[in-house]
Structures are given as C-alpha cells and as structure tokens.
C-alpha cells in the first residue's frame, strides 16, 4: 500500500495494537533477513555461474574434437596417444565421469545433471 512503516507503527501505538506491532516488527525483520545476500553468497553464486559456463565451453570443445579423432586412422591415433589421453581426461573431468580403478564400471556424477 506504499504506507511508510513508521506511520503504521505510530498509529498502532496510538490505538494500542501492541501484539500486532510485535508481530509486524518480527515479520519485517524476517523479510529483511531473507532478502539480504551476504558478500560470500554473492561471490559463491558468481563463481558457480562462471564454473558452469567454463564446463559448458569445455564440453563444446570435446564434442567438436571427438569426431575428428574418430575419423583418424588407428596408426595416427596411436601416434597422437598423448593428445587423445589429454582429451579423454578433459572430457571425463568436464562431464563428471571417473573410473576409480573399477574394471568395467564407470561412475557418473549425476549432480551435474541437476542444473
């Protein structure tokens, strides 16, 4: 209603709305606390967005690069095995996949799919 808080509280005091005043003050404080964002929360949210953007960019690089690797002759792949392993490492890190020395099993971090 765009009525200043002081005006409402003054009228409440004049008319003896003591319980309502206490409840209104508590509600106002709770609303202020809910809206306040700490510097840590702001930085954390910013870093989270930057990290997600970076992961998206890395995923794009992996997606663009893999068809080229797949098209290579097996001998050429073996000649560039260090580069292929680096690409595999980037892809596993980017997509949250790790094998933890479990033969035949792959663990996928499903938290990445939550966003």
């Amino acid at each position: 209603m765009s009525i200043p808080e002081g005006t409402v509280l003054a009228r409440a005091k004049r008319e003896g709305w003591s319980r309502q005043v206490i409840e209104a003050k508590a509600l106002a404080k709770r609303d202020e606390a809910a809206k306040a964002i700490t510097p840590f929360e702001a930085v954390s949210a910013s870093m989270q967005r930057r990290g997600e953007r970076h992961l998206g960019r890395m995923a794009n690089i992996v997606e663009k690069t893999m068809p080229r690797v797949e098209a290579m002759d097996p001998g050429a792949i073996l000649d560039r095995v260090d580069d292929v392993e680096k690409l595999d490492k980037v892809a596993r890190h980017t997509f949250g996949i790790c094998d933890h020395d479990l033969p035949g099993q792959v663990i996928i971090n499903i938290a990445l799919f939550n966003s």
Side-chain angles (χ1 to χ4, degrees):
M1 289 196 247
S2 300
I3 300 171
E5 181 181 342
T7 303
V8 175
L9 293 175
R11 182 170 179 179
K13 186 175 181 180
R14 269 194 320 270
E15 296 182 11
W17 303 345
S18 58
R19 185 171 56 98
Q20 290 89 345
V21 170
I22 292 169
E23 290 172 1
K25 284 182 179 180
L27 183 61
K29 285 182 181 179
R30 189 175 73 216
D31 287 346
E32 283 180 18
K35 293 177 186 175
I37 296 175
T38 66
F40 176 78
E41 291 171 328
V43 169
S44 178
S46 175
M47 293 303 290
Q48 177 72 24
R49 285 191 302 273
R50 289 176 68 189
E52 289 169 358
R53 193 169 50 244
H54 175 73
L55 285 176
R57 292 171 71 192
M58 290 305 296
N60 190 31
I61 289 170
V62 169
E63 293 291 333
K64 288 180 178 179
T65 308
M66 282 310 297
R68 186 170 182 185
V69 173
E70 292 171 333
M72 295 170 67
D73 294 332
I77 292 173
L78 289 175
D79 291 342
R80 309 278 313 262
V81 72
D82 290 338
D83 294 332
V84 173
E85 285 181 348
K86 285 179 188 175
L87 182 60
D88 180 54
K89 184 177 179 180
V90 168
R92 287 174 179 276
H93 180 73
T94 301
F95 294 114
I97 301 169
C98 54
D99 52 14
H100 293 293
D101 299 321
L102 298 174
Q105 293 183 341
V106 175
I107 298 172
I108 299 175
N109 183 355
I110 61 171
L112 294 173
F113 301 112
N114 215 11
S115 35

